[in-house]
Amino acid sequence: MTAHRNFKQRVRARAAKTGESYTAALRHFRPTPPGEDMPENTLRIAVAQSTVRRDPTNAALLRASGTEVRDLMRQAAAAGARLVHFTEGALCFPSKHVMSELGPDEVGPSDWSKTDWAVLHDELDQITKLSRELNIWTVIPSVHPLPGARPHNSMYVVSAAGKVVARYDERTLSTTKITWMYTPGREPVTFDIDGYRFGLALGLDVLFPELLTEYDRLDVDAVLVSYASTGVGQNEHIGVQTRGTAATNTYWVSLAVPANPGAGLDSGVSDPHGVWAVRGPADSTPGIAVTDLHRVDVSQVGRDFRGRTRERIGS
């Protein structure tokens, strides 16, 4: 009896800290509650928060990131997830100072020849092979090289068959990224798993409602947002905007961020009502959170209404 009471106290404490409902907090401790009826045609996903390292010239750091990613993939598969979603910079979030050809004391054009591409590509290869072994889809951000040009900041979609089936390139680059580091992407990207359609957003994309409304028009069930909250504090608005995006567009939003205790932001999945369905470890340590996506009546009703209204006003 005491153990049960203590368990309930832990769940309530998490709910109070994160703002989740008791049921949502319960899923962090017990991803599939016994006896709880889930809607038909659900899709279980895992959102990860992992350590972000910032030096792509350091093979040991790239290897450490790859090892941690694969450990979290195994945790997600063990929890029954069909898909696992990682943060921007999960393998490396290159520092503008490390990459600067004038650095490290002065920021200038990035010298991407310093990157240990062989190790980075090997880590990605190992991730795709493990996706096949675990029979799990993996969404993993990484730098995508372009011959004769700056690379893209990208998200790879790896199928459960171990194949890269899609790639999204960040479109709304920061001033630093667009000036010194990357080539921007141009198009939205969607992919389907078991009848569910996903959209992708990366980095500062989360701050641009028009990009996320575009996915509403593309009839997605969920958007996977990878965002590197590497600073100290002042990231709470990202969580607010994530929930607002979910409620405005009546689709699920998975937000994957780094394991960064100083950032003031944890990974999580918002439901189409704008309520956190699940959150990552509240102490901002590496880990996963698992929830079941399902279609709620408000999703299609809201989408149909917005579609009719847009046609009427010609937008």
Side-chain angles (χ1 to χ4, degrees), residues 51-216:
T51 306
V52 168
R53 299 168 176 90
R54 309 201 65 191
D55 186 354
T57 73
N58 189 316
L61 294 181
L62 294 174
R63 295 294 190 195
S65 292
T67 298
E68 184 174 295
V69 164
R70 289 186 291 277
D71 180 60
L72 294 173
M73 289 171 65
R74 294 184 182 96
Q75 292 182 36
R82 184 74 169 124
L83 174 148
V84 58
H85 168 214
F86 286 92
T87 182
E88 179 182 21
L91 287 177
C92 186
F93 189 60
S95 164
K96 60 186 178 183
H97 297 285
V98 172
M99 301 313 297
S100 173
E101 64 181 22
L102 306 175
D105 298 323
E106 184 178 351
V107 176
S110 294
D111 178 5
W112 288 100
S113 68
K114 296 190 293 185
T115 300
D116 197 330
W117 291 108
V119 171
L120 183 59
H121 290 157
D122 182 63
E123 292 301 320
L124 286 168
D125 285 344
Q126 291 187 56
I127 288 167
T128 60
K129 291 175 183 177
L130 185 61
S131 288
R132 183 181 65 249
E133 292 173 16
L134 298 174
N135 192 34
I136 190 171
W137 288 67
T138 303
V139 176
I140 179 76
S142 188
V143 179
H144 181 78
L146 292 175
R150 294 175 183 171
H152 287 309
N153 186 33
S154 302
M155 300 169 77
Y156 293 111
V157 179
V158 183
S159 74
K163 303 292 185 182
V164 176
V165 296
R167 192 191 80 237
Y168 174 77
D169 306 319
E170 184 185 5
R171 291 183 276 174
T172 55
L173 299 178
S174 68
T175 300
T176 294
K177 286 178 177 178
I178 192 67
T179 303
W180 307 118
M181 302 184 75
Y182 296 106
T183 296
R186 299 296 182 189
E187 303 293 338
V189 172
T190 65
F191 66 98
D192 292 1
I193 304 177
D194 301 343
Y196 280 78
R197 175 164 294 174
F198 292 87
L200 298 167
L202 181 60
L204 294 187
D205 288 346
V206 71
L207 302 180
F208 291 83
E210 59 270 33
L211 269 64
L212 298 162
T213 299
E214 187 174 22
Y215 283 121
D216 175 29

